[in-house]
Coordinates of all heavy atoms in Angstrom, one line a residue:
M1 N 11.1 -22.2 -15.2 CA 10.5 -21.8 -14.0 C 9.1 -21.5 -14.2 O 8.7 -20.8 -15.1 CB 11.3 -20.7 -13.4 CG 11.2 -20.6 -11.8 SD 12.4 -19.5 -11.1 CE 11.4 -18.2 -10.6
Q2 N 8.2 -22.0 -13.3 CA 6.8 -21.7 -13.4 C 6.5 -20.3 -13.0 O 7.1 -19.8 -12.1 CB 6.0 -22.7 -12.4 CG 6.0 -24.1 -12.8 CD 4.9 -24.4 -13.8 OE1 4.2 -23.4 -14.3 NE2 4.8 -25.6 -14.2
P3 N 5.7 -19.7 -13.8 CA 5.3 -18.3 -13.4 C 4.6 -18.3 -12.1 O 3.8 -19.3 -11.8 CB 4.5 -17.8 -14.6 CG 4.0 -19.0 -15.3 CD 5.0 -20.1 -15.0
R4 N 4.8 -17.4 -11.3 CA 4.0 -17.4 -10.0 C 3.1 -16.1 -10.0 O 3.4 -15.1 -10.7 CB 5.0 -17.2 -8.9 CG 5.9 -18.5 -8.7 CD 6.7 -18.4 -7.4 NE 7.6 -17.2 -7.4 CZ 7.8 -16.5 -6.3 NH1 7.3 -16.8 -5.1 NH2 8.6 -15.4 -6.3
Y5 N 2.0 -16.3 -9.3 CA 1.1 -15.1 -9.2 C 0.8 -14.9 -7.8 O 0.7 -15.8 -6.9 CB -0.2 -15.5 -10.0 CG 0.0 -15.7 -11.5 CD1 0.3 -16.9 -12.0 CD2 0.0 -14.6 -12.3 CE1 0.5 -17.0 -13.4 CE2 0.3 -14.6 -13.6 CZ 0.5 -15.9 -14.2 OH 0.7 -16.0 -15.5
C6 N 0.5 -13.5 -7.6 CA 0.1 -13.2 -6.2 C -1.2 -13.9 -5.9 O -2.2 -13.8 -6.7 CB -0.1 -11.7 -6.1 SG -0.8 -11.2 -4.6
P7 N -1.3 -14.7 -4.8 CA -2.6 -15.4 -4.5 C -3.8 -14.5 -4.2 O -4.9 -14.9 -4.3 CB -2.2 -16.2 -3.2 CG -1.1 -15.5 -2.7 CD -0.3 -14.8 -3.8
E8 N -3.5 -13.2 -4.0 CA -4.7 -12.4 -3.7 C -5.1 -11.5 -4.8 O -6.2 -11.4 -5.2 CB -4.2 -11.4 -2.5 CG -5.4 -10.6 -2.0 CD -5.3 -10.1 -0.6 OE1 -4.7 -10.9 0.2 OE2 -5.7 -9.0 -0.4
C9 N -4.1 -10.8 -5.5 CA -4.6 -9.9 -6.6 C -4.2 -10.4 -8.0 O -4.5 -9.8 -8.9 CB -4.0 -8.5 -6.3 SG -2.3 -8.3 -6.7
E10 N -3.4 -11.6 -8.0 CA -3.1 -12.3 -9.2 C -2.1 -11.5 -10.1 O -2.0 -11.6 -11.3 CB -4.4 -12.6 -10.0 CG -5.2 -13.6 -9.3 CD -6.4 -14.0 -10.1 OE1 -6.7 -13.5 -11.2 OE2 -7.0 -15.0 -9.6
A11 N -1.3 -10.6 -9.5 CA -0.2 -9.9 -10.2 C 0.8 -10.9 -10.5 O 1.2 -11.8 -9.6 CB 0.4 -8.8 -9.3
G12 N 1.4 -10.9 -11.7 CA 2.5 -11.8 -12.0 C 3.8 -11.4 -11.4 O 3.9 -10.3 -10.8
E13 N 4.8 -12.2 -11.6 CA 6.1 -11.9 -11.0 C 6.6 -10.6 -11.6 O 6.6 -10.4 -12.9 CB 7.0 -13.1 -11.2 CG 8.3 -13.0 -10.4 CD 8.7 -14.4 -9.8 OE1 8.1 -15.4 -10.2 OE2 9.6 -14.4 -9.1
G14 N 7.1 -9.7 -10.7 CA 7.6 -8.5 -11.2 C 6.6 -7.4 -11.5 O 6.9 -6.3 -12.0
V15 N 5.3 -7.8 -11.4 CA 4.2 -6.9 -11.6 C 3.7 -6.2 -10.3 O 3.5 -6.9 -9.4 CB 3.0 -7.6 -12.3 CG1 1.9 -6.7 -12.6 CG2 3.5 -8.2 -13.7
P16 N 3.5 -4.9 -10.3 CA 3.0 -4.3 -9.1 C 1.7 -4.9 -8.7 O 0.8 -5.2 -9.5 CB 2.9 -2.8 -9.4 CG 3.7 -2.6 -10.7 CD 3.7 -3.9 -11.4
H17 N 1.4 -5.0 -7.4 CA 0.1 -5.5 -6.9 C -1.0 -4.5 -7.1 O -0.7 -3.3 -7.4 CB 0.2 -5.7 -5.4 CG 1.1 -6.8 -5.0 ND1 0.7 -8.2 -4.8 CD2 2.5 -6.8 -4.7 CE1 1.7 -8.9 -4.5 NE2 2.8 -8.1 -4.4
E18 N -2.2 -4.9 -7.1 CA -3.3 -4.0 -7.0 C -3.2 -3.2 -5.8 O -2.7 -3.6 -4.8 CB -4.6 -4.9 -7.0 CG -5.0 -5.7 -8.2 CD -5.3 -4.7 -9.4 OE1 -6.0 -3.8 -9.2 OE2 -4.8 -5.1 -10.5
P19 N -3.7 -1.9 -5.9 CA -3.7 -1.0 -4.7 C -4.2 -1.7 -3.5 O -5.3 -2.3 -3.6 CB -4.4 0.2 -5.1 CG -4.3 0.2 -6.6 CD -4.3 -1.2 -7.0
F20 N -3.5 -1.7 -2.4 CA -4.0 -2.2 -1.1 C -4.2 -3.7 -1.1 O -4.9 -4.2 -0.3 CB -5.2 -1.5 -0.6 CG -5.0 -0.1 -0.1 CD1 -5.0 1.0 -1.0 CD2 -4.7 0.1 1.2 CE1 -4.7 2.3 -0.5 CE2 -4.3 1.4 1.7 CZ -4.3 2.5 0.8
C21 N -3.5 -4.4 -2.0 CA -3.4 -5.9 -1.9 C -2.7 -6.1 -0.6 O -1.7 -5.5 -0.4 CB -2.7 -6.4 -3.2 SG -2.3 -8.2 -2.9
S22 N -3.2 -7.1 0.2 CA -2.6 -7.3 1.5 C -1.2 -8.0 1.4 O -0.4 -8.1 2.3 CB -3.5 -8.1 2.4 OG -3.5 -9.4 1.9
K23 N -0.9 -8.5 0.2 CA 0.4 -9.2 0.0 C 1.5 -8.2 -0.4 O 2.6 -8.5 -0.6 CB 0.3 -10.3 -1.1 CG -0.8 -11.2 -0.8 CD -0.3 -12.2 0.3 CE -1.4 -13.3 0.5 NZ -1.4 -13.8 1.9
E24 N 1.1 -7.0 -0.8 CA 2.1 -6.0 -1.2 C 2.9 -5.6 -0.1 O 2.5 -5.4 1.1 CB 1.3 -4.7 -1.8 CG 2.3 -3.7 -2.3 CD 1.6 -2.6 -3.1 OE1 0.5 -2.5 -3.0 OE2 2.4 -1.8 -3.7
R25 N 4.2 -5.4 -0.3 CA 5.1 -4.9 0.8 C 5.2 -3.4 0.6 O 5.3 -2.8 -0.4 CB 6.5 -5.5 0.6 CG 6.4 -7.0 0.5 CD 5.9 -7.7 1.7 NE 6.8 -7.5 2.9 CZ 7.8 -8.3 3.2 NH1 8.0 -9.3 2.5 NH2 8.5 -8.0 4.2
C26 N 5.3 -2.7 1.8 CA 5.5 -1.3 1.8 C 6.9 -1.0 1.5 O 7.8 -1.6 2.0 CB 5.2 -0.8 3.3 SG 5.7 1.0 3.5
P27 N 7.1 -0.1 0.4 CA 8.5 0.2 0.0 C 9.2 1.1 1.0 O 10.4 1.2 1.0 CB 8.3 1.0 -1.3 CG 6.9 1.6 -1.2 CD 6.1 0.6 -0.4
F28 N 8.5 1.6 2.0 CA 9.1 2.5 3.0 C 9.7 1.7 4.2 O 10.7 2.0 4.8 CB 8.2 3.6 3.5 CG 7.7 4.5 2.5 CD1 6.5 4.3 1.9 CD2 8.5 5.5 2.1 CE1 6.0 5.1 0.9 CE2 8.1 6.4 1.0 CZ 6.9 6.2 0.4
C29 N 9.0 0.5 4.6 CA 9.4 -0.2 5.8 C 9.5 -1.7 5.6 O 10.0 -2.3 6.5 CB 8.6 0.2 7.0 SG 6.9 -0.5 6.8
G30 N 9.0 -2.1 4.4 CA 9.0 -3.6 4.1 C 7.8 -4.3 4.8 O 7.7 -5.5 4.7
G31 N 7.0 -3.6 5.5 CA 5.8 -4.2 6.1 C 4.6 -4.1 5.1 O 4.8 -4.0 3.9
Q32 N 3.4 -4.3 5.6 CA 2.3 -4.3 4.8 C 1.7 -2.8 4.8 O 1.4 -2.3 5.8 CB 1.2 -5.2 5.4 CG 1.5 -6.7 5.2 CD 0.4 -7.6 5.6 OE1 -0.6 -7.1 6.1 NE2 0.6 -8.9 5.4
P33 N 1.6 -2.3 3.6 CA 1.1 -0.9 3.5 C -0.2 -0.6 4.2 O -0.5 0.4 4.7 CB 1.0 -0.6 2.0 CG 1.8 -1.7 1.3 CD 1.8 -2.9 2.3
A34 N -1.1 -1.6 4.2 CA -2.4 -1.4 4.7 C -2.4 -1.3 6.3 O -3.2 -0.7 6.9 CB -3.3 -2.5 4.3
S35 N -1.3 -1.8 6.9 CA -1.3 -1.8 8.4 C 0.0 -1.3 9.0 O 0.1 -1.3 10.2 CB -1.5 -3.3 8.8 OG -0.6 -4.2 8.3
C36 N 1.0 -0.9 8.2 CA 2.3 -0.6 8.8 C 2.3 0.7 9.4 O 3.2 1.0 10.2 CB 3.4 -0.7 7.7 SG 3.3 0.6 6.5
G37 N 1.4 1.6 9.1 CA 1.4 2.9 9.8 C 2.2 4.0 9.0 O 2.1 5.2 9.3
C38 N 2.9 3.7 7.9 CA 3.6 4.6 7.1 C 2.6 5.7 6.5 O 2.9 6.8 6.4 CB 4.4 4.0 6.0 SG 5.8 3.0 6.6
I39 N 1.4 5.2 6.2 CA 0.4 6.0 5.6 C 0.1 7.1 6.5 O -0.1 8.3 6.1 CB -0.8 5.3 5.1 CG1 -1.8 6.2 4.4 CG2 -1.5 4.7 6.5 CD1 -2.9 5.4 3.7
V40 N 0.1 6.9 7.8 CA -0.2 7.9 8.9 C 0.9 8.8 9.0 O 0.8 10.1 9.0 CB -0.6 7.3 10.2 CG1 -0.7 8.3 11.3 CG2 -1.9 6.5 10.0
T41 N 2.2 8.3 9.2 CA 3.3 9.1 9.4 C 3.8 9.9 8.2 O 4.1 11.1 8.3 CB 4.5 8.3 10.0 OG1 4.6 7.1 9.2 CG2 4.3 7.9 11.4
L42 N 3.8 9.3 7.0 CA 4.3 9.9 5.8 C 3.3 11.0 5.4 O 3.8 12.0 4.8 CB 4.5 8.9 4.7 CG 5.9 8.3 4.8 CD1 5.9 6.8 4.5 CD2 6.8 9.0 3.9
L43 N 2.1 10.8 5.5 CA 1.1 11.8 5.1 C 0.8 12.8 6.1 O 0.0 13.8 6.0 CB -0.2 11.1 4.5 CG -0.1 10.2 3.4 CD1 -1.4 9.6 2.9 CD2 0.7 10.8 2.2
G44 N 1.3 12.5 7.4 CA 1.0 13.4 8.5 C -0.5 13.5 8.8 O -1.0 14.6 8.9
L45 N -1.2 12.4 8.8 CA -2.6 12.4 9.0 C -3.0 12.8 10.4 O -2.3 12.5 11.4 CB -3.2 10.9 8.8 CG -3.0 10.5 7.4 CD1 -3.7 9.1 7.2 CD2 -3.6 11.4 6.3
N46 N -4.1 13.5 10.5 CA -4.6 13.9 11.9 C -5.5 12.7 12.3 O -5.6 11.7 11.7 CB -5.3 15.2 11.8 CG -6.5 15.1 10.7 OD1 -6.9 14.1 10.3 ND2 -6.9 16.3 10.3
D47 N -6.1 12.9 13.5 CA -6.9 11.9 14.0 C -8.0 11.4 13.1 O -8.3 10.3 13.0 CB -7.5 12.3 15.4 CG -6.4 12.3 16.5 OD1 -5.4 11.7 16.2 OD2 -6.7 12.9 17.6
E48 N -8.6 12.4 12.5 CA -9.7 12.1 11.6 C -9.3 11.2 10.4 O -9.9 10.3 10.0 CB -10.3 13.4 11.0 CG -11.7 13.2 10.3 CD -12.0 14.4 9.4 OE1 -11.2 15.4 9.3 OE2 -13.0 14.4 8.8
G49 N -8.1 11.7 9.8 CA -7.6 10.8 8.8 C -7.2 9.5 9.1 O -7.4 8.5 8.4
R50 N -6.5 9.4 10.4 CA -6.2 8.1 10.8 C -7.4 7.1 11.0 O -7.3 6.0 10.7 CB -5.4 8.2 12.1 CG -4.7 6.9 12.6 CD -3.6 7.2 13.5 NE -3.9 8.4 14.4 CZ -3.1 9.2 15.0 NH1 -1.8 9.1 14.7 NH2 -3.4 10.2 15.7
Q51 N -8.4 7.7 11.6 CA -9.6 6.9 11.8 C -10.2 6.4 10.5 O -10.6 5.3 10.3 CB -10.6 7.8 12.6 CG -11.6 6.9 13.3 CD -12.7 7.7 14.0 OE1 -12.5 9.0 14.2 NE2 -13.8 7.1 14.5
A52 N -10.2 7.3 9.5 CA -10.7 7.0 8.2 C -10.0 5.9 7.6 O -10.5 4.9 7.0 CB -10.7 8.2 7.3
V53 N -8.6 5.8 7.7 CA -7.8 4.8 7.2 C -8.1 3.5 7.9 O -8.2 2.5 7.3 CB -6.3 5.1 7.3 CG1 -5.4 4.0 7.0 CG2 -6.0 6.3 6.3
E54 N -8.2 3.6 9.2 CA -8.4 2.4 10.0 C -9.7 1.7 9.7 O -9.8 0.5 9.5 CB -8.4 2.7 11.5 CG -7.0 2.7 12.1 CD -6.9 3.3 13.5 OE1 -8.0 3.5 14.1 OE2 -5.8 3.6 13.9
E55 N -10.8 2.5 9.5 CA -12.1 2.0 9.3 C -12.2 1.6 7.8 O -12.8 0.6 7.4 CB -13.2 3.0 9.6 CG -13.2 3.2 11.1 CD -14.1 4.4 11.5 OE1 -14.6 5.0 10.6 OE2 -14.3 4.6 12.7
Y56 N -11.6 2.3 6.9 CA -11.5 2.1 5.5 C -12.9 1.7 5.0 O -13.1 0.5 4.4 CB -10.5 1.0 5.1 CG -9.9 1.2 3.7 CD1 -8.8 2.0 3.5 CD2 -10.6 0.8 2.6 CE1 -8.3 2.3 2.3 CE2 -10.2 1.1 1.4 CZ -9.0 1.8 1.2 OH -8.6 2.1 -0.1
E57 N -13.8 2.5 5.1 CA -15.2 2.2 4.7 C -15.4 2.5 3.3 O -15.9 1.6 2.5 CB -16.2 3.0 5.6 CG -16.5 2.2 6.8 CD -17.4 3.1 7.8 OE1 -17.7 4.1 7.5 OE2 -17.7 2.5 8.9
D58 N -15.1 3.6 2.7 CA -15.5 3.9 1.4 C -14.5 4.9 0.8 O -14.5 6.1 1.2 CB -16.9 4.5 1.3 CG -17.4 4.7 -0.2 OD1 -16.5 4.4 -1.0 OD2 -18.5 5.0 -0.4
D59 N -13.6 4.4 0.0 CA -12.5 5.3 -0.5 C -13.1 6.2 -1.8 O -12.2 6.8 -2.5 CB -11.3 4.6 -0.9 CG -11.5 3.5 -2.0 OD1 -12.5 3.6 -2.6 OD2 -10.5 2.7 -2.1
S60 N -14.4 6.2 -2.0 CA -14.9 7.1 -3.0 C -15.4 8.4 -2.4 O -15.9 9.3 -3.1 CB -15.9 6.4 -3.9 OG -17.1 6.1 -3.1
V61 N -15.3 8.5 -1.1 CA -15.7 9.7 -0.4 C -14.6 10.3 0.5 O -13.7 9.5 0.9 CB -17.0 9.5 0.5 CG1 -18.2 9.1 -0.4 CG2 -16.7 8.4 1.5
E62 N -14.6 11.6 0.6 CA -13.6 12.2 1.5 C -13.9 11.9 2.9 O -15.0 11.6 3.3 CB -13.7 13.8 1.3 CG -13.4 14.2 -0.1 CD -12.0 13.9 -0.6 OE1 -11.2 13.5 0.2 OE2 -11.7 14.1 -1.8
P63 N -12.9 11.9 3.8 CA -11.5 12.3 3.5 C -10.7 11.1 2.9 O -9.6 11.3 2.5 CB -10.9 12.6 4.8 CG -11.6 11.8 5.9 CD -13.1 11.6 5.3
L64 N -11.3 9.9 3.0 CA -10.4 8.7 2.5 C -9.9 8.8 1.1 O -8.9 8.4 0.7 CB -11.3 7.4 2.7 CG -10.5 6.1 2.8 CD1 -9.4 6.3 3.8 CD2 -11.4 5.0 3.1
R65 N -10.8 9.4 0.2 CA -10.5 9.5 -1.2 C -9.1 10.2 -1.4 O -8.3 9.7 -2.1 CB -11.6 10.1 -2.0 CG -11.4 10.0 -3.5 CD -12.7 10.4 -4.1 NE -12.9 11.8 -4.0 CZ -13.4 12.6 -5.0 NH1 -13.7 12.0 -6.1 NH2 -13.6 13.8 -4.8
S66 N -9.0 11.4 -0.8 CA -7.8 12.1 -1.1 C -6.6 11.5 -0.3 O -5.4 11.6 -0.8 CB -8.0 13.6 -0.7 OG -8.4 13.7 0.7
I67 N -6.9 10.9 0.8 CA -5.8 10.1 1.6 C -5.2 9.1 0.7 O -3.9 8.9 0.5 CB -6.3 9.6 2.9 CG1 -6.6 10.7 3.9 CG2 -5.3 8.7 3.5 CD1 -7.3 10.3 5.1
V68 N -6.1 8.2 0.2 CA -5.6 7.2 -0.7 C -4.9 7.6 -1.9 O -3.9 7.1 -2.3 CB -6.9 6.3 -1.1 CG1 -6.5 5.2 -2.2 CG2 -7.4 5.5 0.1
A69 N -5.4 8.8 -2.5 CA -4.8 9.3 -3.7 C -3.4 9.8 -3.3 O -2.4 9.6 -4.1 CB -5.6 10.5 -4.2
R70 N -3.2 10.4 -2.2 CA -1.9 10.9 -1.7 C -0.9 9.8 -1.5 O 0.2 9.8 -1.8 CB -2.0 11.8 -0.5 CG -2.5 13.2 -0.9 CD -3.0 13.9 0.4 NE -1.9 14.2 1.3 CZ -2.0 14.3 2.7 NH1 -3.2 14.2 3.2 NH2 -0.9 14.5 3.4
W71 N -1.5 8.7 -0.8 CA -0.7 7.5 -0.4 C -0.2 6.9 -1.7 O 0.9 6.4 -1.9 CB -1.5 6.7 0.4 CG -0.8 5.4 0.8 CD1 -1.2 4.1 0.6 CD2 0.5 5.2 1.5 NE1 -0.4 3.2 1.1 CE2 0.7 3.9 1.6 CE3 1.4 6.1 2.0 CZ2 1.8 3.3 2.2 CZ3 2.6 5.6 2.6 CH2 2.8 4.2 2.7
D72 N -1.1 6.8 -2.7 CA -0.8 6.2 -4.0 C 0.4 6.9 -4.7 O 1.3 6.3 -5.2 CB -2.0 6.2 -4.9 CG -2.2 4.9 -5.6 OD1 -2.2 3.8 -5.0 OD2 -2.3 5.0 -6.8
E73 N 0.3 8.2 -4.6 CA 1.3 9.0 -5.2 C 2.6 8.9 -4.5 O 3.7 8.8 -5.1 CB 0.8 10.5 -4.9 CG 1.1 11.4 -6.2 CD 0.5 12.8 -5.8 OE1 1.2 13.6 -5.1 OE2 -0.6 13.1 -6.3
A74 N 2.6 8.7 -3.2 CA 3.8 8.6 -2.4 C 4.4 7.2 -2.7 O 5.7 7.1 -2.9 CB 3.5 8.6 -0.9
L75 N 3.6 6.1 -2.9 CA 4.1 4.8 -3.3 C 4.7 4.9 -4.6 O 5.8 4.3 -4.9 CB 2.9 3.8 -3.3 CG 2.4 3.3 -1.9 CD1 1.3 2.4 -2.1 CD2 3.6 2.7 -1.1
E76 N 4.1 5.6 -5.6 CA 4.6 5.7 -7.0 C 5.9 6.3 -7.0 O 6.9 5.9 -7.7 CB 3.6 6.3 -7.9 CG 2.3 5.6 -8.1 CD 2.5 4.3 -8.9 OE1 3.5 4.1 -9.5 OE2 1.5 3.5 -8.8
R77 N 6.0 7.4 -6.1 CA 7.3 8.2 -6.2 C 8.4 7.3 -5.6 O 9.5 7.4 -6.1 CB 7.1 9.4 -5.3 CG 7.0 10.7 -6.0 CD 7.3 11.9 -5.3 NE 6.7 12.0 -4.0 CZ 5.5 12.4 -3.7 NH1 4.8 13.0 -4.6 NH2 5.0 12.4 -2.4
K78 N 8.1 6.6 -4.6 CA 9.1 5.7 -3.9 C 9.4 4.5 -4.8 O 10.5 4.0 -4.8 CB 8.6 5.3 -2.5 CG 9.5 4.4 -1.8 CD 10.7 5.1 -1.2 CE 11.5 4.0 -0.4 NZ 12.7 4.7 0.2
G79 N 8.4 4.1 -5.5 CA 8.5 2.9 -6.3 C 7.9 1.7 -5.6 O 8.3 1.3 -4.5
R80 N 6.8 1.2 -6.2 CA 6.1 0.1 -5.5 C 7.0 -1.2 -5.5 O 7.8 -1.3 -6.4 CB 4.8 -0.2 -6.3 CG 4.0 1.0 -6.5 CD 2.6 0.6 -7.1 NE 1.8 0.1 -6.1 CZ 0.7 0.8 -5.7 NH1 0.4 2.0 -6.2 NH2 -0.1 0.4 -4.7
V81 N 6.7 -2.0 -4.6 CA 7.4 -3.3 -4.6 C 6.6 -4.4 -5.3 O 5.5 -4.7 -4.9 CB 7.7 -3.8 -3.1 CG1 8.3 -5.1 -3.1 CG2 8.4 -2.7 -2.4
P82 N 7.0 -4.8 -6.5 CA 6.2 -5.7 -7.3 C 6.1 -7.1 -6.6 O 7.0 -7.4 -5.8 CB 6.9 -5.8 -8.6 CG 8.0 -4.8 -8.6 CD 8.3 -4.5 -7.1
F83 N 5.2 -7.9 -7.0 CA 5.1 -9.3 -6.5 C 6.4 -10.0 -6.8 O 7.0 -9.9 -7.9 CB 3.9 -10.0 -7.2 CG 3.9 -11.4 -6.8 CD1 3.7 -11.8 -5.5 CD2 4.1 -12.4 -7.7 CE1 3.6 -13.2 -5.1 CE2 4.1 -13.8 -7.3 CZ 3.8 -14.1 -6.0
G84 N 6.9 -10.9 -5.9 CA 8.0 -11.7 -6.1 C 9.4 -11.0 -5.9 O 10.4 -11.6 -6.0
V85 N 9.3 -9.7 -5.5 CA 10.5 -8.9 -5.2 C 10.5 -8.5 -3.7 O 9.5 -8.0 -3.3 CB 10.6 -7.7 -6.1 CG1 11.8 -6.9 -5.7 CG2 10.6 -8.1 -7.6
E86 N 11.6 -8.8 -3.0 CA 11.7 -8.4 -1.7 C 12.2 -7.0 -1.7 O 13.1 -6.5 -2.5 CB 12.7 -9.3 -0.9 CG 12.1 -10.7 -0.6 CD 10.9 -10.6 0.3 OE1 11.0 -10.0 1.3 OE2 9.9 -11.3 -0.1
P87 N 11.8 -6.1 -0.7 CA 12.2 -4.8 -0.6 C 13.8 -4.8 -0.3 O 14.3 -5.7 0.2 CB 11.5 -4.3 0.7 CG 10.4 -5.1 0.8 CD 10.7 -6.5 0.3
A88 N 14.5 -3.8 -0.8 CA 15.9 -3.7 -0.8 C 16.4 -3.8 0.7 O 15.7 -3.4 1.6 CB 16.4 -2.5 -1.4
E89 N 17.6 -4.4 0.9 CA 18.1 -4.3 2.2 C 18.2 -3.0 2.7 O 18.5 -2.0 2.0 CB 19.5 -4.9 2.1 CG 19.6 -6.5 2.1 CD 19.1 -7.1 3.3 OE1 19.4 -6.7 4.4 OE2 18.2 -8.1 3.2
G90 N 18.0 -2.8 4.1 CA 18.1 -1.4 4.6 C 16.9 -0.7 4.5 O 16.7 0.4 5.0
A91 N 15.8 -1.3 3.9 CA 14.5 -0.6 3.8 C 13.8 -0.6 5.1 O 12.9 0.1 5.4 CB 13.6 -1.3 2.7
H92 N 14.2 -1.6 6.0 CA 13.5 -1.6 7.3 C 13.9 -0.4 8.2 O 15.0 0.0 8.1 CB 13.9 -2.9 8.0 CG 13.4 -4.1 7.4 ND1 12.2 -4.7 7.7 CD2 13.9 -4.9 6.3 CE1 12.0 -5.7 6.8 NE2 12.9 -5.9 6.1
A93 N 12.9 0.0 8.9 CA 13.2 1.2 9.7 C 13.9 0.9 11.0 O 13.8 -0.3 11.5 CB 11.8 1.8 10.2
Ligands
ZN101 ZN1 -1.1 -8.9 -4.7
ZN102 ZN1 5.5 1.0 5.9

């Protein structure tokens, strides 16, 4: 079988995507972590935080920096979905 690679971040099969790769699946809902809204609900973001995530201008400055760090931690705890792997059945909300 030919090895496959994520067309966006080039992660190999079974390898976690780069953070915020748009091809990564959210382990919480099976959607796209960048747009599924879990980051807002799971981290309990306020309006300011939600806006920062939507605009996503610069994750080296607050508040986005700590939001991304917390989200990353939540993903790691839950277990990231590597490339080539579909989220487990029942993962959909
Ligand atoms: Zn990727
Ligand atoms: Zn999600």
Side-chain angles (χ1 to χ4, degrees):
M1 210 164 104
Q2 288 281 0
R4 295 189 301 143
Y5 295 92
C6 172
E8 187 161 320
C9 73
E10 299 183 351
E13 194 137 6
V15 175
H17 294 268
E18 293 293 315
F20 285 91
C21 171
S22 71
K23 304 287 183 206
E24 182 172 11
R25 306 297 294 273
C26 172
F28 297 101
C29 72
Q32 290 185 357
S35 59
C36 68
C38 288
I39 188 168
V40 172
T41 43
L42 273 139
L43 299 183
L45 298 182
N46 57 18
D47 286 347
E48 189 198 5
R50 187 161 35 209
Q51 200 183 349
V53 169
E54 275 168 12
E55 291 170 357
Y56 210 94
E57 271 173 2
D58 187 354
D59 62 12
S60 66
V61 294
E62 299 295 354
L64 199 52
R65 190 167 67 144
S66 54
I67 290 171
V68 169
R70 284 165 65 207
W71 177 236
D72 220 52
E73 220 176 80
L75 284 176
E76 294 293 343
R77 256 201 315 270
K78 176 76 177 174
R80 310 186 81 108
V81 181
F83 175 67
V85 176
E86 288 297 313
E89 282 295 316
H92 293 266

